[in-house]
Amino acid sequence: MAPKQTVIGPALPNIPWQDKPANCREVLWRYSENPIIPRNLISCSNSIFNSAVVPFENAFAGVFRCDDKRREMRIHSGKSPDGINWQIDPEPIQFQCAEPEISKFDYGYDPRVAWIEDRYYVTWCNGYHGPTIGVGYTYDFKEFHQLENAYLPFNRNGVMFPRKINGDFAMLSRPSDTGHTPFGDIFYSQSPDMCYWGKHRHVMSPKGGWQSTKIGAGPIPIETTHGWLMIYHGVLTSCNGFVYSMGAALLDIDRPWKVVYRTAPYILAPQTPYECVGDVPNVAFPCAALCDGPTGRIAVYYGCADTVTGLAFCQVDELIDFVKLNSEV
Ligand code: BMA
């Protein structure tokens, strides 16, 4: 009998991958050619980071945070044959939107992309009298449509679940303030129609050490036989400012606001030169993960020092074991 697959999801045989180096003791290991996206991949960009990728037409597509040389925050679409070498549209995404009140694009950053039912939904931190969660969708990464903002300001890190839960669309978010928010818990919200979001539930608060100031969901949660695997960022306030690291948690499959396990140690912290040096030093900020169901291979895309984009790998069973063995809920 074939061993039971841990990931409840499809095969992605062309997932970017590199085996764990023999001498590596980390549960999440970096791609040796990091960063995969340099800051100047397109001529207008100051930096390309905190970006989201998905499988698309036997290859890959994504939505990228590109801060331009005016230092305005924009999001651009991109395509890749292998998930590593990217072509990013030099023009920012122009959302089609029937509602003039919300269609004025002040700024957009930290996108996430989720395939749900029949299309790719995009969420991003959207400027509307302060940061809130913008919602849109695309079928083809050429034409993008904007829907209503999910919440009132101020909110960041809107991350959808990849399927309806208990009959509703579901999203994690992190209520915040207008500035560099010195606090932040993860909440869960539900929607019957992608317009009205409610039934808000508290998921988790900051804890000790690397996740003591604030936390926020990262990639679209991965459905597994052990619950929803949520990779998230946590922030420590050092005497030199914020330090952004990554951790992981397992959430109850039917009531995802119930945290079953959560890592006390980080799984990746900014330690390489490209994570420690850049426009904002000491930032490792995950926004996407690809996953191959049968092998349990996971490729995590993360922003490095608010400047470039990196890739790291893990194996789902190994990560779940690590979360359970090192858990403090
Ligand atoms: C957060 C967001 C992220 C950024 C991080 C570190 O508030 O703005 O886009 O990576 O700060 O600067």
Side-chain angles (χ1 to χ4, degrees), residues 49-50 65 67 73 109-110 112 125 156-157 174 179-181 214 233 235 242 244 279-285 287 303-307:
F49 58 110
N50 300 4
R65 172 172 177 177
D67 290 6
M73 300 180 285
Y109 61 87
D110 297 358
R112 314 300 204 273
C125 179
R156 293 186 172 101
N157 296 298
R174 212 278 307 283
H180 298 298
T181 319
K214 53 182 170 174
H233 71 256
V235 180
F242 289 157
Y244 283 71
D279 287 349
V280 181
N282 307 319
V283 181
F285 194 98
C287 286
C304 308
D306 283 14
T307 304

